[in-house]
């Protein structure tokens, strides 16, 4: 049985970076740039007022109040054809080009209007260059403003818009097929009969895939019969990634690995020294990366966070692949009665500059309610069983942490 680290290494070795596609910036959230971006303009494109006020010569208002003649008004969007000479000022709005001759802007709050009209009274002197953003001070035409590998945050999309890029090259979102196995499973709308339960994994995994930025494709529930599995797995092998829930344990009807073998899937591992999720399978065809996830809901979801999410992120060109690991203070003692590395569902909070974590009381890997209350995992190393309140532990923050 291989360690979590070894399984991760093999998973990422099996994962290739995805194809490149051109996408509209309105559809690019969560993607990574696959090209360097150059500016086609200077920013600002002209010397620009950053205040509503008066464009003037700083030298004219060394002694205040200074009365200056108002020679024009410059709204944003206009381009002043006149210049400001000694003893003059132009009324100017935020974002408007500073007129020739002016070297500073005094904000309107520091001015007054004298009774005789046509003039402005500058009530405070102003430093040279004040409130004027110089042409090109943010970027110059031809500058590389964004590099390949940049995550398209809302702010980065704003930069793309600034430099006139409506379509950009990104690493493609992989299509992730989700296949759920189990004779006992019924769909959400159905009331389970004796011996049956509803399929929840399909939906949790669907959302985990979506939240990672990939494109989920629901293949539905399939029985534990070999021929049904064959047909559905074949369908799934047309996707970039195939997640199969259930059917990978030691049960008499766990045929997933047999069917994968029939399709000549290279298997990278089929057991990890982890709790929950020991019977996880990872394999690959030329086209598709395949994960066989244990059927228990907490196990499937946990394995997704540790192994599947980083693989998806690698195909999408991310450099940072893993959920954030932090050191946290244990708020309650707990025991880990296993010789495997264990990932305990937990709630983590951040208070006064430090993380605090409490394992969620749980009935085990089927306890969907306990898991839904958690936002993180306490990672209990294989060689430690007692964890005392007040001690430091390693915690993996799921994306849920940032939403709560
Ligand atoms: P398996 O890995 O197929 O042996 O399933 C392990 C346990 O998880 C069994 O108790 C299953 O009934 C349960 N299970 C399997 N698939 C699902 C699912 N899609 N939703 C909820 N529970 C499931
Ligand atoms: Mg099963």
């Amino acid at each position: 049985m291989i360690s979590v680290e070894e399984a991760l290494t093999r998973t990422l070795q099996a994962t290739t970076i995805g194809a490149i596609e051109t996408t509209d910036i309105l559809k690019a959230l969560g993607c990574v740039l696959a090209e360097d971006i150059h500016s086609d303009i200077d920013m600002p494109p002209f010397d620009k007022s950053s205040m509503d006020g008066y464009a003037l010569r700083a030298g004219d208002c060394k002694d205040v109040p200074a009365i200056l003649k108002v020679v024009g008004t410059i709204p944003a969007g206009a381009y002043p054809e006149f210049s400001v000479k000694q003893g003059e000022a132009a009324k100017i709005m935020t974002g408007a080009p500073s007129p020739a001759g002016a070297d500073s802007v005094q904000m309107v709050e520091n001015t007054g209007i004298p009774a005789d009209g046509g003039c402005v009274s500058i009530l405070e002197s102003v430093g040279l260059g004040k409130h004027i953003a110089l042409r090109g001070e943010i970027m110059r035409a031809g500058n590389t403003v964004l590099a390949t590998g940049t995550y398209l945050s809302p702010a980065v999309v704003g930069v793309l818009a600034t430099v006139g890029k409506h379509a950009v090259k990104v690493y493609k979102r992989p299509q992730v097929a989700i296949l759920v196995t189990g004779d006992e499973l019924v769909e959400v709308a159905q009331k389970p009969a004796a011996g049956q339960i509803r399929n929840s994994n399909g939906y949790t995994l669907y959302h985990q895939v979506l939240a990672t930025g990939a494109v989920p494709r629901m293949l539905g529930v399939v029985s534990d019969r070999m021929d049904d599995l064959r047909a559905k797995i074949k369908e799934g092998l047309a996707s970039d990634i195939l997640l199969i829930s259930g059917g990978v344990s030691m049960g008499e009807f766990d045929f997933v690995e047999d069917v994968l073998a029939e399709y000549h899937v290279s298997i990278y591992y089929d057991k990890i020294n982890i709790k929950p999720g020991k019977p996880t399978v990872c394999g690959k065809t030329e086209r598709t990366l395949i994960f066989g996830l244990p059927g228990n809901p907490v196990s499937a979801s946990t394995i997704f966070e540790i192994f599947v999410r980083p693989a998806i992120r690698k195909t999408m060109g991310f450099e940072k692949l893993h959920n954030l690991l932090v050191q946290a203070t244990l708020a309650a003692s707990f025991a880990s009665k296993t010789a495997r590395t264990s990932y305990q569902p937990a709630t983590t909070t951040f208070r006064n500059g430090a993380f605090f974590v409490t394992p969620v009381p749980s009935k085990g890997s089927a306890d969907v309610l306990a898991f839904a209350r958690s936002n993180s995992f306490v990672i209990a190393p294989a060689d430690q069983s007692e964890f005392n309140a007040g001690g430091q532990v390693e915690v993996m923050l799921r994306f849920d942490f940032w939403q709560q």
Side-chain angles (χ1 to χ4, degrees), residues 233-250:
I233 287 180
K234 187 171 182 194
E235 220 180 305
L237 290 176
S239 292
D240 303 304
I241 298 176
L242 168 60
L243 307 182
I244 306 168
S245 148
V248 288
S249 300
M250 300 303 286

Side-chain angles (χ1 to χ4, degrees), residues 108-119:
V108 72
E109 291 87 334
N110 295 334
T111 67
I113 302 296
D116 48 355
C119 288

Side-chain angles (χ1 to χ4, degrees), residues 304-306 309-310 313 321-325 377 395-399 402:
F304 183 98
E305 289 302 316
I306 304 167
R309 195 168 194 272
R313 285 174 65 85
L321 303 180
H322 305 290
N323 283 320
L324 189 61
L325 296 177
F377 300 105
V395 166
M396 175 184 278
L397 299 178
R398 294 201 311 269
F399 86 95
W402 311 98

Side-chain angles (χ1 to χ4, degrees), residues 181-185 224 245-249 253-254 295:
T181 74
D183 284 336
E184 74 279 32
L185 300 174
D224 287 319
S245 148
V248 288
S249 300
F253 305 101
D254 289 335

Side-chain angles (χ1 to χ4, degrees), residues 179-182 184-186 195-203 205 221 224 245-251 253-254 279 293-297 299 365-366 368:
L179 177 60
V180 171
T181 74
E184 74 279 32
L185 300 174
V186 296
Q196 297 181 322
I197 59 165
R198 290 194 177 99
N199 160 31
S200 65
N201 288 358
Y203 297 89
L205 290 170
V221 177
D224 287 319
S245 148
V248 288
S249 300
M250 300 303 286
F253 305 101
D254 289 335
L293 307 172
N296 264 314
S299 314
S365 320
V368 287

Side-chain angles (χ1 to χ4, degrees), residues 126-336:
V126 53
L128 187 64
K130 191 82 179 159
H131 301 317
I132 294 183
L134 294 178
R135 174 178 181 159
E137 74 175 19
I138 296 171
M139 63 180 87
R140 291 211 167 269
N143 282 173
T144 304
V145 290
L146 298 168
T148 300
T150 303
Y151 161 66
L152 294 183
S153 68
V156 168
V157 170
V159 173
L160 292 172
T162 302
V163 302
K165 282 288 215 178
H166 217 297
V168 284
K169 286 185 181 150
V170 296
Y171 295 101
K172 213 171 158 190
R173 301 175 195 272
Q175 187 186 70
V176 183
I178 300 162
L179 177 60
V180 171
T181 74
D183 284 336
E184 74 279 32
L185 300 174
V186 296
E187 264 312 342
V188 179
Q190 279 173 264
K191 188 88 178 204
Q196 297 181 322
I197 59 165
R198 290 194 177 99
N199 160 31
S200 65
N201 288 358
Y203 297 89
T204 304
L205 290 170
Y206 190 95
H207 275 254
Q208 287 181 290
V209 169
L210 262 186
T212 309
V215 182
R217 176 178 164 220
M218 196 78 109
L219 294 181
V221 177
V222 66
S223 78
D224 287 319
R225 288 175 34 165
M226 276 285 244
D227 47 352
D228 286 347
L229 276 172
R230 265 188 209 114
K232 278 290 185 183
I233 287 180
K234 187 171 182 194
E235 220 180 305
L237 290 176
S239 292
D240 303 304
I241 298 176
L242 168 60
L243 307 182
I244 306 168
S245 148
V248 288
S249 300
M250 300 303 286
E252 205 164 313
F253 305 101
D254 289 335
F255 295 135
V256 167
E257 272 194 273
D258 301 304
V259 175
L260 293 180
E262 286 180 12
Y263 285 117
H264 306 294
V265 172
S266 316
I267 300 295
Y268 290 82
Y269 54 83
D270 65 359
K271 260 175 212 63
I272 311 173
N273 192 27
I274 190 172
K275 186 179 177 188
K278 179 169 116 180
T280 297
V281 177
C282 176
K284 193 179 180 326
T285 62
E286 212 166 294
R287 164 96 177 78
T288 309
L289 182 66
I290 301 133
F291 291 93
L293 307 172
N296 264 314
V298 178
S299 314
S301 197
T302 303
I303 293 297
F304 183 98
E305 289 302 316
I306 304 167
F307 300 97
V308 183
R309 195 168 194 272
I312 292 176
R313 285 174 65 85
K314 182 172 176 188
T315 73
M316 291 182 69
F318 281 90
E319 266 170 38
K320 264 197 222 155
L321 303 180
H322 305 290
N323 283 320
L324 189 61
L325 296 177
V326 298
Q327 290 294 314
T329 305
L330 251 185
S333 302
F334 78 99
S336 170

